[in-house]
Amino acid sequence: EDQVTQSPEALRLQEGESSSLNCSYTVSGLRGLFWYRQDPGKGPEFLFTLYSAGEEKEKERLKATLTKKESFLHITAPKPEDSATYLCAVSNTGNQFYFGTGTSLTVIP
Amino acid sequence: DARVTQTPRDKVTEMGQEVTMRCQPILGHNTVFWYRQTMMQGLELLAYFRNRAPLDDSGMPKDRFSAEMPDATLATLKIQPSEPRDSAVYFCASGLGVHEQYFGPGTRLTVT
């Protein structure tokens, strides 16, 4: 069965303390892996799509990487405004989508 | 600034009542998604449409839920009859294809 597992569930960082979020996936034919950011009371906001192992994408302090079994979202020198829940999702060749339960990130000034 | 809009933003209803949620996708987007989010289950895909045709509704309880796109500017999700376990935040998202989705603000549904 296709599934996505994110870790850790929650992460507290000091401002400027870099870290990584993990997304492990099992999927029958990966079409794409996605990262979203969700702020409280709002809908998820698209960040990245990765299609194949070895691919990397960057946006400001965020960098997403992909291997055949997992993806990492690296956060470099985070700021308090990076505090949010980060969601990972995959789509398979059957056009089905599966979201992880997210990592809640808190960046302390 | 193009955005997905959803109405109503909040809905409180009694068990057994019909609930209709509406979504206006971003103009020009050909793919529309309905999701449900709860603390226990996280974000679940209920159904999605491409060019107004349903592509996948395998995540939707068919006995009480229905999703339609009467035209390119409106998507609806109906629950009849509603049950307390349907209480959740329902999100609509749209995109050009499936790989970059833009979410609306959600409808918070409470069924008592």
Side-chain angles (χ1 to χ4, degrees):
Chain A
E1 179 180 320
D2 295 355
Q3 63 180 11
V4 176
T5 304
Q6 292 189 247
S7 62
E9 288 188 14
L11 182 63
R12 291 172 63 89
L13 300 173
Q14 293 288 332
E15 184 172 0
E17 180 187 1
S18 301
S19 188
S20 297
L21 313 182
N22 178 262
C23 172
S24 297
Y25 64 91
T26 303
V27 65
S28 54
L30 179 72
R31 288 194 64 197
L33 183 141
F34 319 95
W35 283 98
Y36 286 82
R37 166 193 171 126
Q38 186 172 24
D39 293 296
K42 296 188 176 182
E45 175 188 345
F46 173 79
L47 293 174
F48 304 109
T49 302
L50 301 167
Y51 293 102
S52 58
E55 189 174 359
E56 298 182 353
K57 289 195 176 172
E58 288 189 63
K59 180 179 181 179
E60 296 181 353
R61 295 176 293 282
L62 301 177
K63 177 180 173 181
T65 61
L66 181 64
T67 72
K68 289 187 177 179
K69 294 184 179 180
E70 59 192 349
S71 176
F72 292 94
L73 185 66
H74 307 277
I75 303 176
T76 302
K79 299 182 177 181
E81 53 263 41
D82 295 322
S83 297
T85 295
Y86 290 84
L87 298 168
C88 172
V90 297
S91 68
N92 62 20
T93 50
N95 286 324
Q96 295 167 316
F97 289 85
Y98 301 92
F99 272 83
T101 52
T103 293
S104 176
L105 174 66
T106 303
V107 181
I108 305 162
Chain B
D1 185 21
R3 297 184 184 186
V4 174
T5 58
Q6 291 186 246
T7 57
R9 294 295 310 278
D10 284 280
K11 176 72 175 180
V12 180
T13 191
E14 292 183 349
M15 182 173 62
Q17 296 298 305
E18 178 178 301
V19 175
T20 300
M21 290 169 270
R22 293 176 174 81
C23 167
Q24 182 172 13
I26 293 172
L27 187 65
H29 282 183
N30 64 349
T31 310
V32 176
F33 306 81
W34 283 107
Y35 290 91
R36 173 171 63 184
Q37 188 172 42
T38 62
M39 290 294 292
M40 293 297 294
Q41 299 294 330
L43 199 61
E44 301 173 280
L45 177 66
L46 297 175
Y48 75 98
F49 297 77
R50 179 175 294 163
N51 297 323
R52 297 176 54 202
L55 272 193
D56 188 339
D57 61 0
S58 59
M60 197 165 66
K62 307 276 193 315
D63 56 338
R64 299 184 298 108
F65 285 59
S66 62
E68 296 179 344
M69 280 201 74
D71 60 59
T73 64
L74 176 65
T76 62
L77 180 66
K78 291 186 181 181
I79 308 174
Q80 169 63 18
S82 58
E83 298 180 1
R85 60 180 167 151
D86 300 329
S87 297
V89 180
Y90 290 80
F91 287 105
C92 174
S94 72
L96 289 169
V98 302
H99 285 174
E100 187 170 330
Q101 300 178 30
Y102 294 84
F103 282 74
T107 294
R108 181 176 298 276
L109 174 64
T110 304
V111 184
T112 60

